Amino acid sequence: MKKVGFLLACCLWVLSLAGFSLAAETAGMQLQSSATALTIDKGTQPVLVYRYKEVPFKPYVQSLYSPKGVNVLLDAPADHLHHHGLMFAVSAEGTSFWEESETGGKQNHAGFAGMQVTPERVQFAERLRWALPDGTLVLNEKRTIQVWNRLDSTFLSWRTELTIPKGRDKATLGGSHYYGLGMRFAPFMDCIGEFGNAAGSEGAIFRGLERLTGATWCAYRVPQEENPVTVVMFDHPSNYKPVTWFTMPEPFAYLSATLRYHEEAIELQSGTPLSFLYGVVVQDSIMTTDQIEALYQTWIQTNPTKNGEEK
């Protein structure tokens, strides 16, 4: 069995170097790889682009599409070059992996740990090594992303599992009030949308129009005439602690799932993994609170288990 697993891993590694395409036998979800990115489509419709190479500081979801083909993400805008679509980053050992500079850390792609494709969904797992500017390894990450596209919604699950590398005892995670799983929205969504959440709370003002709010989910509804869209981020009850949503509507729209690192750091110990599981839904309509809550319950029931496999 170990030999079979080793051969499969080698095959995936070779395919990732050469570029490959995996598709279900029937018309449905497809996964294609190039030397720099994974692309997920449903038939001829794009669903997701994930950049893992030729990214100086961190792999990320570059594009995420609604069922009608509307991309809701923005990558590396001139005002904030370190904003990359949908990305996960915090500070570790006092070094920021969010901002991108000579003094910042890097999340280095170390290979894929598995890929699954069915007509309904695609899942891939990636290994990353978090390194300080001098090359010191401070964290290992297993990142598992699962995507499925229904007639009315695009669903994404993002799981990050952090562990301490051999030779180290612990790591301190911290950072600013917006660190975590962050999403920079496409320009057509700026300044015209409205944030809402499961708690019906306006949240606490942190500075200017920036707010911090605790709730099981947070939505951004954009009543744009040509492309009305709702994007929702979900928290999972199994996470380390309940999420706090960072929201900012102007001068550009941003949403992050945070753990208030600016108030209390997290001490990660060797031998004790720390796992985060969040969901994202995109729909081509202005969703009601009841509709979002129903989708949230669906996501809770069908999300991956702690080991990254389906329930």
Side-chain angles (χ1 to χ4, degrees):
M1 182 64 70
K2 290 183 179 179
K3 185 176 181 180
V4 172
F6 173 76
L7 291 174
L8 177 59
C10 288
C11 289
L12 286 174
W13 177 72
V14 172
L15 288 171
S16 69
L17 290 178
F20 66 88
S21 176
L22 297 176
E25 293 182 359
T26 58
M29 304 292 282
Q30 304 168 22
L31 173 65
Q32 297 182 349
S33 174
S34 70
T36 60
L38 297 180
T39 301
I40 299 175
D41 301 308
K42 184 178 182 182
T44 59
Q45 189 73 30
V47 179
L48 176 143
V49 177
Y50 183 82
R51 288 289 305 275
Y52 68 92
K53 281 289 185 70
E54 295 185 7
V55 285
F57 289 90
K58 62 177 75 72
Y60 57 92
V61 175
Q62 183 178 35
S63 303
L64 181 63
Y65 296 86
S66 73
K68 290 184 179 180
V70 178
N71 178 26
V72 299
L73 298 180
L74 179 62
D75 180 24
D79 56 22
H80 289 74
L81 292 174
H82 59 281
H83 286 179
H84 296 295
L86 180 65
M87 67 181 199
F88 177 81
V90 296
S91 287
E93 296 298 86
T95 296
S96 173
F97 287 78
W98 183 283
E99 285 86 11
E100 300 180 352
S101 68
E102 293 181 356
T103 60
K106 295 182 178 181
Q107 301 172 5
N108 297 311
H109 171 78
F112 291 109
M115 299 180 183
Q116 302 173 15
V117 181
T118 73
E120 293 78 26
R121 66 187 65 197
V122 171
Q123 177 175 299
F124 62 89
E126 180 186 25
R127 297 185 302 273
L128 301 102
R129 305 289 182 255
W130 292 41
L132 301 180
D134 64 1
T136 300
L137 185 63
V138 293
L139 290 172
N140 290 326
E141 179 185 353
K142 181 182 179 182
R143 178 176 299 176
T144 304
I145 293 180
Q146 186 177 103
V147 182
W148 59 108
N149 184 276
R150 309 190 322 176
L151 290 177
D152 63 345
S153 306
T154 298
F155 274 78
L156 178 148
S157 286
W158 178 303
R159 179 185 293 280
T160 279
E161 183 178 85
L162 299 175
T163 55
I164 301 298
K166 291 182 180 180
R168 300 186 68 89
D169 297 326
K170 62 181 181 178
T172 301
L173 309 183
S176 297
H177 61 292
Y178 46 81
Y179 281 18
L181 182 65
M183 178 182 294
R184 175 70 186 259
F185 292 110
F188 81 90
M189 303 169 68
D190 289 341
C191 304
I192 64 171
E194 182 178 83
F195 287 101
N197 56 72
S201 171
E202 293 185 355
I205 295 175
F206 187 84
R207 64 182 181 188
L209 297 176
E210 300 174 10
R211 293 179 181 269
L212 298 176
T213 310
T216 54
W217 54 258
C218 186
Y220 186 57
R221 302 178 179 95
V222 181
Q224 209 264 358
E225 185 175 352
E226 294 183 3
N227 299 308
V229 67
T230 300
V231 180
V232 191
M233 292 185 72
F234 296 148
D235 185 29
H236 194 272
S238 68
N239 283 337
Y240 172 74
K241 64 180 180 180
V243 73
T244 295
W245 303 108
F246 166 84
T247 59
M248 186 176 73
E250 297 178 13
F252 54 83
Y254 207 96
L255 171 62
S256 290
T258 83
L259 293 182
R260 292 182 176 267
Y261 296 99
H262 64 293
E263 294 180 346
E264 182 180 7
I266 296 176
E267 295 289 340
L268 178 57
Q269 304 294 325
S270 176
T272 306
L274 181 62
S275 184
F276 306 91
L277 175 58
Y278 301 109
V280 178
V281 168
V282 183
Q283 192 167 116
D284 296 290
S285 66
I286 305 303
M287 299 171 64
T288 67
T289 297
D290 289 344
Q291 288 173 328
I292 296 173
E293 184 62 31
L295 284 182
Y296 175 65
Q297 296 303 325
T298 297
W299 179 76
I300 290 292
Q301 295 167 11
T302 61
N303 74 85
T305 58
K306 288 187 176 181
N307 63 8
E309 298 176 351
E310 245 185 299
K311 286 183 177 179

